[in-house]
Amino acid sequence: MRNPYSDIFRAPGTKGFAAAAFIARLPIAMAPIGIVAMLSQTHGEYWLAGAVSATYALVNAFLSPQVSRLVDRLGQSAIAVPTTLVSVLSFAALIAAANQHWPIWTLFLAALLAAAMPSIPALVRARWTEIFRNRPELYTAFAFESAADELVYVAGASLSVGLSAALFPEAGMVVSTLLLALGSVAFLLQRSTEPPVRPAEQAATGSVIRLRPVQIITFALIFVGATFATTEVTTVAITKQLGQPEAASLVIGVYALGSFVLGIIVGALNLKAPLQRQLAVAVAVIALTTLPLLFAGTVPTLAVAVFVSGVAISPTFITAFGLIERHVPPAMLTEGVTWVTTGIGIGMALGSFAAGWMVDTFGPQSGFFVSVAAGAVALATVLAGQRRLATSDYDPDGDEAAVPAE
């Protein structure tokens, strides 16, 4: 049987930019939970740790589409280089503020400026799309990237928490910042695969968020993202309560392991069911598997429940990005893809803050109630939007592809 993944990596330059992008996006998982792990140890308050982490994630979620919109207009290198530099320097300031116990406002200011970090998942998917546009290999490439996203959460979040627990509170954030700098440089130096700047087409001069399918997917993924952050924050709190804080790294690590495996399988199968139905099934699984989390009272049962709750994450990403690619004009693809990650980022910000408040107010286990509620809202949104998400509704020459001018 032919391996579809070997086919996509035969294209020149794909191995290089895929490897560099993996390193560059590790901070997506490492930074939010790294901030929580760092500040909960240096300052001893989960609400503060969650609030600073939420500030970073929420501002990044709102800034990323604007950065990606500039990328579509001016090119990846022209925009990603300065924004990455600002982010790296700001993360360094945040680490120093936590270590030296600078005033609380400096933590929030540094987190806010660090949010200038560009969306590496969007940049790398734009490169794949440029290579395989309108070809079946693009689905496989998106599946690979979704699986890579899961590895980022397996390795990134686990590494961040593990370093902070084993070495010193700021260790996770130090490594995260170094990986962001080195990975981004390696990625952006590969100019041969950088997509060319395309002129706006078919009146596509406004923001893609005005398209109804993009709105539906983004809103749904806000609540999917909330389940991620809630699981991470609550896991850290529960394992600490059980007297096994070092186990948080392992539990968070298994969270995305099942999803990684399933994502690889889904990408190889190239399922024929309509993408909007695949998305509904994946989100339904996410919603249902949040329920066992409420009853996990030991580290082993917590690890099993967390593993099960993560199995549908990668299929959700694959179908969401696939729908975006079909509904968004090519000249605005980077922004379109970024809105998907923006939804996740907003959800992680809100979920982190909500879970932190629930943990402080009602105890560690109560944080998972946020996951249950978020999963239910995500499922309701996707089910209600099935007709508008149908890719057969997409007409490159019709209104669906035309974004109103601002």
Side-chain angles (χ1 to χ4, degrees):
M1 180 179 177
R2 190 171 184 177
N3 183 355
Y5 293 101
S6 64
D7 291 341
I8 64 174
F9 284 109
R10 289 195 179 96
T14 54
K15 293 179 181 178
F17 76 66
F22 179 81
I23 296 172
R25 66 181 149 185
L26 278 168
I28 295 175
M30 293 184 70
I33 191 64
I35 292 172
V36 171
M38 177 175 68
L39 295 180
S40 63
Q41 293 181 70
T42 59
H43 289 69
E45 295 175 296
Y46 276 101
W47 76 265
L48 175 63
V52 174
S53 179
T55 296
Y56 159 74
L58 192 60
V59 175
N60 178 254
F62 281 110
L63 280 182
S64 287
Q66 312 312 317
V67 172
S68 292
R69 190 173 176 185
L70 290 174
V71 167
D72 282 327
R73 294 180 178 180
L74 302 175
Q76 293 189 357
S77 297
I79 300 302
V81 169
T83 53
T84 300
L85 180 60
V86 170
S87 186
V88 168
L89 294 176
S90 299
F91 275 131
L94 177 60
I95 294 168
N99 180 265
Q100 298 299 313
H101 286 269
W102 292 352
I104 296 299
W105 65 265
T106 62
L107 299 174
F108 287 95
L109 177 61
L112 186 151
L113 294 175
M117 185 172 71
S119 175
I120 297 297
L123 300 185
V124 70
R125 283 176 171 88
R127 295 195 181 205
W128 284 116
T129 303
E130 188 64 30
I131 295 170
F132 295 123
R133 191 183 305 277
N134 299 322
R135 292 168 57 184
E137 289 92 340
L138 184 59
Y139 181 89
T140 303
F142 278 178
F144 171 80
E145 288 302 323
S146 295
D149 286 336
E150 295 311 311
L151 273 182
V152 164
Y153 281 99
V154 168
S158 178
L159 178 62
S160 188
V161 173
L163 288 170
S164 294
L167 300 179
F168 51 91
E170 303 87 358
M173 287 304 300
V174 169
V175 173
S176 173
T177 304
L178 290 174
L179 291 175
L180 172 62
L182 296 175
S184 297
V185 168
F187 179 79
L188 294 171
L189 284 177
Q190 301 181 59
R191 301 296 297 274
S192 65
T193 54
E194 181 176 336
V197 177
R198 295 175 180 271
E201 300 169 352
Q202 301 172 358
T205 56
S207 173
V208 295
I209 196 59
R210 298 187 180 191
L211 295 177
R212 185 65 66 189
V214 178
Q215 294 173 355
I216 294 170
I217 294 171
T218 300
F219 187 76
L221 289 186
I222 287 175
F223 295 94
V224 172
T227 67
F228 300 169
T230 299
T231 299
E232 292 174 355
V233 172
T234 307
T235 293
V236 170
I238 289 178
T239 54
K240 183 177 180 180
Q241 181 189 52
L242 294 173
Q244 303 178 60
E246 69 283 352
S249 177
L250 174 63
V251 175
I252 293 173
V254 304
Y255 182 39
L257 186 59
S259 183
F260 166 73
V261 175
L262 187 59
I264 289 291
I265 295 173
V266 168
L269 292 176
N270 197 6
L271 301 175
K272 302 300 182 183
L275 286 178
Q276 73 274 11
R277 293 182 187 174
Q278 294 183 43
L279 182 62
V281 171
V283 175
V285 173
I286 288 177
L288 291 174
T289 54
T290 59
L291 297 174
L293 294 170
L294 298 173
F295 307 100
T298 65
V299 170
T301 57
L302 178 63
V304 172
V306 166
F307 175 85
V308 172
S309 71
V311 296
I313 295 173
S314 190
T316 298
F317 285 178
I318 294 170
T319 51
F321 286 122
L323 285 166
I324 289 292
E325 189 270 333
R326 298 191 186 187
H327 283 289
V328 170
M332 307 179 74
L333 180 65
T334 307
E335 183 193 352
V337 171
T338 304
W339 276 110
V340 176
T341 58
T342 289
I344 298 169
I346 293 173
M348 291 184 69
L350 297 178
S352 177
F353 181 77
W357 183 83
M358 290 286 286
V359 166
D360 286 336
T361 306
F362 301 106
Q365 196 71 39
S366 65
F368 284 130
F369 282 104
V370 179
S371 293
V372 174
V377 175
L379 178 58
T381 301
V382 172
L383 292 177
Q386 285 291 287
R387 186 181 65 82
R388 298 303 300 268
L389 291 177
T391 54
S392 59
D393 291 342
Y394 174 64
D395 177 7
D397 299 317
D399 292 338
E400 192 68 83
V403 184
E406 293 182 329

